Amino acid sequence: MTCIYTSSEKVTPLNYLCDKNDLDEGKSRGFEVDGVQLLAVRRVGQVYVYQNRCPHRAVPLQWQLDQFLDASASLIQCATHGALFLIESGECIAGPCEGKSLNPIDCGEDAQGIWVNLPERD
């Protein structure tokens, strides 16, 4: 298992998300890792991962399997009420949760694939 080190010298295991070739440029995909629903988007070569939960109603965002983006593929869109989120920050810029944000998930990419660091659960 690949690990990262935090400032307190604790070892935090990384969770494998997918092969880096399984997330194409300008596309989104949904995942479940250790019971946590996630969405991942690749934009301009960078991978962004968020918890798949709208901050307005705590519902999943996709309208179909792996469909999290608006028609222009430039924003994440909630299928329930149409809220729009910036891919780079998760901030809602239109809709009933405007000003709130999606929960970001730390992620990284290497030759083996895309990895996520899930937050500790209570």
Side-chain angles (χ1 to χ4, degrees):
M1 178 177 284
T2 303
C3 298
I4 60 170
Y5 294 91
T6 64
S7 59
S8 64
E9 298 298 319
K10 287 179 76 177
V11 177
T12 305
L14 294 176
N15 298 91
Y16 181 76
L17 192 63
C18 67
D19 185 276
K20 64 182 184 176
N21 296 317
D22 290 341
L23 184 60
D24 293 331
E25 178 64 35
K27 300 292 182 182
S28 61
R29 284 197 57 199
F31 298 91
E32 183 175 338
V33 177
D34 287 344
V36 179
Q37 297 292 319
L38 304 173
L39 71 99
V41 180
R42 184 182 298 278
R43 182 161 189 199
V44 192
Q46 177 71 37
V47 176
Y48 301 91
V49 180
Y50 297 98
Q51 190 172 2
N52 181 9
R53 188 176 71 195
C54 181
H56 178 234
R57 298 266 173 143
V59 297
L61 295 162
Q62 75 272 20
W63 53 278
Q64 290 181 347
L65 181 65
D66 297 329
Q67 299 297 315
F68 294 93
L69 303 178
D70 68 348
S72 71
S74 63
L75 297 165
I76 298 168
Q77 183 172 23
C78 178
T80 301
H81 50 68
L84 297 171
F85 302 86
L86 297 173
I87 292 171
E88 296 83 0
S89 66
E91 179 186 358
C92 181
I93 58 167
C97 51
E98 190 169 347
K100 295 183 181 178
S101 295
L102 300 173
N103 292 328
I105 302 295
D106 290 333
C107 66
E109 186 172 7
D110 63 19
Q112 296 174 325
I114 300 170
W115 301 82
V116 293
N117 183 13
L118 297 177
E120 290 185 25
R121 297 186 208 177
D122 295 333

